[in-house]
Structures are given as structure tokens and as C-alpha cells.
Amino acid sequence: MLTVCTAILALAITATIYSAAHARSSAPRAVSAIASARPSATRTPTTAAPAAAPVVPAAPVAGVTPALDAEINGILDDNSQYDIGVTLIDLSDGSSHQYGVQAPFEAASTAKVLAASAYYHLAEVGEVSLDDPLGDYTSGLQIKEMIQESDNESWSLIMDAVGYSELQEYAASIGVSYDPLNNTLTPSEMASILADLYTGKLLNQQDTAQLLSYMQNTNYESLIPAAVPAGITVFHKYGLLDDELHDASVLTGGTSSYVFVVYTKGQNESDIPARTDVFHQLTQAVVTDLF
């Protein structure tokens, strides 16, 4: 089990909506051995690497109860004008709980976590380095911009560096059906990516901790993080594209850690404030019951 020191960071609510446009590029570069075993990588010098990766608590104080199931389903029923899919994974035992729509959604920028993990994996098997030039910066800095700032140019560069077919193979190797051209994931697939990332199944300690650190204090903290009280740490990646609005998170506090993913599809950006309120209702239900 991996060890970690993660700081409790203040939650900043950002008013700016950043459009997470679907990355496309016509000339992906093939990189071999992406689905093979996963040992160690170099680190971009732009940000100090965290010393250790997180640990999953062995004995949670709470679990997903029938009362929480009913509350989540009630919130979804009250907002049936939207397509909403929710997945909760209890990281103490791996149990997964699904609610609402579990069909594939356009994943928008939440899929950037998968692309980042694929590139880190390539670095760990020696195919690339986080110090490699990529665009105007190093690939390590492009990953940070892609995750923390949701930069789409960085996403496109990382996708091309990995290779589209190689990214699809990498996703399959971790049990996820993903087509980079369509960019679709189910809420449960996204939740499984985060569960494997947080528990150290995807990357080594240093890369796990670094990627998670980029998933804090992002450029859009208005969804799940905005409804989480002090004392609970949030690692997350939001997605916003046309009528899709998503947030995919790991919540950890005390002896409890959960993956919590909410995918929504509405009419267009005009209903983002109303759907944001749904995120807050769901988050408040989850943190009140589980922490």
C-alpha cells in the first residue's frame, strides 16, 4: 500500500467557464509497448515532485448505505430533465455503486486523466521522458497544463505523443473501452480509472502523487469541490463541452476514501447553473453520509 502526505487545500470557486473542446489531431505518432508493465519515470523540473503517493485507508468510518442510495436516487428523480450518471467506489473494499444513466457519455475533459496516465506510463517504461520537448514546453509541463488548467492544446499534444491507437490499447489494458476519436466513457469507467490511479495500480508512487497534485486547485472548482467542507481533500477533473457537464473526483478524509463521479447531459450551457446545483446536492449527500 502506498504512503502519502496530502495537504488539505482551500477550495476556490472559479466563475470562468473553460470550454473543454474535444482534442483532435490528424497525425498521431505511434509509441510502442504502451500496454506493458509499469515501472519509473523522470520528472519535469518545473514543479517539485511530491515525495509519496496516497494510501487507501483500511477501515472507513462509514459506507454507502441504503439511505444514501435513496437520497441520491431521489435527487436524480427530481432532476429527470437531465441525463445524470453517478458512480461511487468505496476504496476500502472496491465496492462500486451506480445510479442513473450508466451508458457512455461524451467524456469531455475528464478523459484528460486517462491521457495523462498513458503518457506517464510511457515514461515509466522508458519510451518517452517528462523532460522531452513538446510544443513550447516539456511534456511534463504540458501534462500539468492539461490537467490543472484543462488546456486543450496541451491535450492534443499529449494525445499525439501517445498515439490514438496506443491510447485505446492502454485503456483496454486497464479494463476501459475507450475510443479517442469519439471520447466516450461511462461514469463507472471513469470511476475505475480514478480508483486505479489513487490506489497505485496505474503508476509508480512519484507519478501517482504528481498527477493527483495537479487535480487540486484547478481552473474550475465550482462543481464537486465547491460543496465539500473543510477536512476532506478533493482530487478531481471536470469536463465541460456543449451540453455535457461532468466532474470526476476522489474524496478522502480521516479513514475514508471514495471515488465520486457525476456525469450530466443537459440542453446546452444555459442550464449549467441549474446542473451545478445538482452537483452540489449530490456532493452534500455523499459527504454528509460518508465522512
Side-chain angles (χ1 to χ4, degrees):
M1 201 65 71
L2 305 174
T3 59
V4 71
C5 284
T6 50
I8 305 301
L9 300 178
L11 299 172
I13 301 176
T14 304
T16 303
I17 293 175
Y18 189 95
S19 175
H22 188 182
R24 292 283 195 274
S25 182
S26 59
R29 178 171 68 83
V31 180
S32 62
I34 193 162
S36 55
R38 308 171 170 112
S40 72
T42 50
R43 169 76 180 98
T44 177
T46 56
T47 304
V55 62
V56 179
V61 243
V64 179
T65 63
L68 178 57
D69 291 338
E71 189 169 3
I72 291 173
N73 285 322
I75 293 169
L76 300 191
D77 289 344
D78 290 343
N79 294 277
S80 58
Q81 69 271 36
Y82 311 121
D83 291 336
I84 306 174
V86 177
T87 297
L88 266 173
I89 298 178
D90 185 340
L91 292 178
S92 69
D93 59 12
S95 60
S96 182
H97 308 261
Q98 295 87 35
Y99 312 87
V101 179
Q102 289 297 316
F105 287 74
E106 165 62 64
S109 286
T110 62
K112 291 172 180 174
V113 176
L114 179 62
S117 180
Y119 193 93
Y120 275 115
H121 168 67
L122 286 178
E124 291 183 5
V125 298
E127 293 287 334
V128 298
S129 167
L130 295 176
D131 295 321
D132 285 347
L134 194 61
D136 294 333
Y137 306 102
T138 64
S139 58
L141 183 55
Q142 296 290 5
I143 289 174
K144 180 179 181 181
E145 291 298 297
M146 178 179 70
I147 298 296
Q148 197 161 50
E149 301 299 325
S150 207
D151 187 278
N152 292 316
E153 183 179 350
S154 297
W155 189 15
S156 183
L157 289 167
I158 291 295
M159 293 273 279
D160 285 349
V162 172
Y164 278 36
S165 62
E166 288 79 10
L167 180 56
Q168 191 168 21
E169 291 170 12
Y170 174 77
S173 77
I174 62 173
V176 172
S177 177
Y178 179 69
D179 178 356
L181 292 175
N182 293 323
N183 192 32
T184 54
L185 291 169
T186 68
S188 291
E189 286 174 328
M190 187 66 225
S192 74
I193 293 167
L194 290 184
D196 285 351
L197 172 65
Y198 189 79
T199 56
K201 295 177 182 176
L202 298 186
L203 304 172
N204 66 30
Q205 290 188 16
Q206 177 174 302
D207 292 339
T208 297
Q210 184 177 82
L211 181 50
L212 288 171
S213 76
Y214 297 159
M215 296 168 66
Q216 295 182 287
N217 292 331
T218 72
N219 69 321
Y220 197 73
E221 297 286 281
S222 301
L223 300 174
I224 288 172
V228 175
I232 299 171
T233 301
V234 183
F235 307 97
H236 80 114
K237 183 71 196 80
Y238 79 95
L240 170 60
L241 178 64
D242 301 326
D243 53 4
E244 312 282 342
L245 181 65
H246 313 320
D247 210 356
S249 70
V250 177
L251 308 176
T252 182
T255 58
S256 298
S257 292
Y258 294 87
V259 173
F260 175 46
V261 172
V262 182
Y263 274 11
T264 75
K265 182 179 177 68
Q267 293 292 93
N268 48 51
E269 291 187 359
S270 68
D271 60 21
I272 283 176
R275 277 189 282 159
T276 297
D277 185 61
V278 176
F279 277 88
H280 295 169
Q281 292 176 46
L282 290 166
T283 303
Q284 287 162 3
V286 166
V287 297
T288 298
D289 196 271
L290 298 179
F291 293 93

